Amino acid sequence: MKKLWLCIFCILLTAVVGMVLRPLFPEEPGAGQPAELEPIAERIAAMTPEEKAGQLMLVGMDGVSPSTSFQQEMKDHPYGGVILFDRNMESPAQVKELNRRLQALAGKMPLFIGLDEEGGQVARMKDSLPAPPSQASIGAAGKPEEARKWAAKTGKALKQLGFNLNLAPVADVGSGAGRSYSSHPATAASFVEQALAGYQEVRLMACLKHFPGLGKGQEDTHKGRVTVSASRETLEREDLMPFRRALEKYPDPRFAIMVTHVDYPALDPEWPASLSQSIMGDLLRKRLHFDGLILTDDLTMGAIAGSWPLEEAAVRALLSGADLVMVCHDPEQIRQVHAAIARAIQAGKLPQDQVDTSLYRILKAKGTL
């Protein structure tokens, strides 16, 4: 009997000691859940500044097939993603082959391949890829579940063509051109939540836009600076509601958020949202607790390109909290932005910890596609 009790005591003692010491001696990578993402960190540690800079960019391309120079860039420093427009798209078969080639060029670094397929007026290749209804028409029907159905249908069609990212839905309240589900914040939020559910259902990454809300903007950021003069209280009560509700419903977001180029003096008196640490860092990251991917809108738009050198704006956007900067036009500008980001990483102007955190988010998100 004494031996039995001694054995039981030894077993209990071993268990207690194990519980105490386990945090001090973590399992080897691959042996358990805490270390399952370790290969991402190892991959980042092995990347050159040029490779890191490439992954921090979502770029456009010319033509319906990759040029020789674009192929070389993808070999030297694969971009994080490619955004396609009608200029790149002739037919479903051609688009599917193009996307296959782009992923092949990316090698071990999978690409985000995206487009703007919001519905209504903002849709690609309408002649051969039937566009969903505009968000306004879906919202007017008064049934949020319709947003989920259309998002799932759209996402499934895009996946069949090789896309894994749609820059939709629009989470703005009351935008023109039929782009918003509603001019009522709570209604818009309900439809946005359902749209996200539809994209997640078919495992295609969505992207809420345009944070912190573009509905009150009266001008076009493609042409120049736009200012929304609403108070902080109004912005938080109305324009932020669809974003806030989405983050409350999906605390582990499988979607990105695109930040607009609009100026919001009540939130940041100096910088537009896409270059603002106050808006991306303090508001979106800290207050709203968003830990997914932050994208800028296209930096070649007039609101940015008309006021800052493109290379300076790209570095500023990343320094202020963006994970991916979007440069959709002009191959030479894309190359210049890439070189500027690589120099900023090399010189430490972009802190290594911040860059590596963004890269971790990017590669982790790609692993879920």
Side-chain angles (χ1 to χ4, degrees):
M1 182 63 69
K2 289 183 179 180
K3 289 183 178 181
L4 177 61
W5 281 111
L6 181 61
C7 289
I8 293 173
F9 175 77
C10 290
I11 291 171
L12 292 173
L13 180 63
T14 300
V16 171
V17 171
M19 291 174 65
V20 172
L21 295 181
R22 188 173 296 118
L24 302 177
F25 299 95
E27 296 172 328
E28 292 297 318
Q33 183 71 15
E36 67 178 1
L37 295 176
E38 187 65 26
I40 296 180
E42 293 175 355
R43 180 177 293 184
I44 292 170
M47 293 168 68
T48 66
E50 290 75 18
E51 290 170 333
K52 290 183 176 183
Q55 286 298 301
L56 298 174
M57 297 178 66
L58 188 64
V59 305
M61 56 168 275
D62 287 340
V64 295
S65 62
S67 66
T68 301
S69 59
F70 188 86
Q71 292 181 53
Q72 187 62 47
E73 289 161 29
M74 289 295 294
K75 180 179 179 181
D76 294 340
H77 50 255
Y79 294 116
V82 176
I83 181 84
L84 298 188
F85 296 88
D86 279 334
R87 66 176 186 256
N88 310 118
M89 305 169 72
E90 290 182 332
S91 69
Q94 172 266 328
V95 170
K96 189 172 183 178
E97 174 59 18
L98 170 60
N99 289 343
R100 186 199 65 77
R101 287 190 64 192
L102 289 172
Q103 288 293 7
L105 288 171
K108 295 181 180 180
M109 295 285 190
L111 275 175
F112 291 122
I113 304 181
L115 78 172
D116 294 281
E117 192 71 10
E118 298 173 15
Q121 295 184 34
V122 184
R124 306 302 178 211
M125 209 167 62
K126 295 179 183 178
D127 292 340
S128 51
L129 183 64
S134 70
Q135 291 191 186
S137 63
I138 294 174
K143 299 179 179 179
E145 62 270 19
E146 288 299 307
R148 181 191 61 77
K149 293 177 182 178
W150 275 109
K153 183 176 180 179
T154 301
K156 184 177 180 180
L158 294 179
K159 284 192 72 172
Q160 290 174 346
L161 295 177
F163 292 101
N164 53 29
L165 169 66
N166 190 14
L167 300 182
V170 172
D172 302 328
V173 178
S175 283
R179 299 179 74 189
S180 294
Y181 286 116
S182 176
S183 58
H184 187 276
T187 302
S190 296
F191 280 84
V192 166
E193 290 174 16
Q194 288 297 307
L196 290 175
Y199 284 113
Q200 293 190 13
E201 183 180 310
V202 296
R203 298 180 64 83
L204 185 129
M205 178 170 278
C207 180
L208 293 186
K209 60 186 188 184
H210 308 78
F211 189 85
L214 188 54
K216 292 179 173 61
Q218 298 300 311
E219 292 82 27
D220 186 353
T221 50
H222 288 84
K223 299 177 180 179
R225 298 287 287 275
V226 176
T227 298
V228 168
S229 299
S231 68
R232 175 181 285 270
E233 292 75 16
T234 298
L235 290 169
E236 293 194 0
R237 183 177 65 250
E238 299 176 4
D239 298 77
L240 281 175
M241 182 181 287
F243 296 96
R244 186 176 64 248
R245 287 258 302 265
L247 294 177
E248 289 170 353
K249 186 174 180 64
Y250 303 104
D252 182 21
R254 299 178 187 176
F255 53 85
I257 291 181
M258 179 191 291
V259 179
T260 181
H261 299 320
V262 171
D263 288 90
Y264 300 84
L267 302 178
D268 188 327
E270 183 178 3
W271 297 98
S274 58
L275 306 183
S276 170
Q277 196 278 332
S278 295
I279 292 174
M280 290 189 285
D282 296 341
L283 179 57
L284 185 51
R285 289 284 187 218
K286 294 180 181 178
R287 284 197 53 200
L288 297 183
H289 307 291
F290 179 64
D291 194 37
L293 291 176
I294 297 178
L295 284 62
T296 70
D297 209 339
D298 179 14
L299 293 179
T300 65
M301 293 163 65
I304 298 298
S307 298
W308 293 276
L310 199 57
E311 300 95 320
E312 178 184 320
V315 173
R316 168 74 198 186
L318 293 169
L319 191 60
S320 298
D323 299 304
L324 284 160
V325 293
M326 195 185 315
V327 188
C328 296
H329 307 282
D330 191 337
E332 184 56 32
Q333 287 185 329
I334 292 170
R335 287 189 282 269
Q336 290 171 357
V337 168
H338 174 267
I341 296 172
R343 288 195 301 269
I345 294 173
Q346 183 72 50
K349 185 175 181 179
L350 285 172
Q352 179 177 322
D353 288 350
Q354 183 175 344
V355 169
D356 289 356
T357 297
S358 287
L359 291 168
Y360 196 91
R361 289 191 189 104
I362 291 167
L363 296 182
K364 181 181 178 182
K366 289 180 176 182
T368 67
L369 299 175

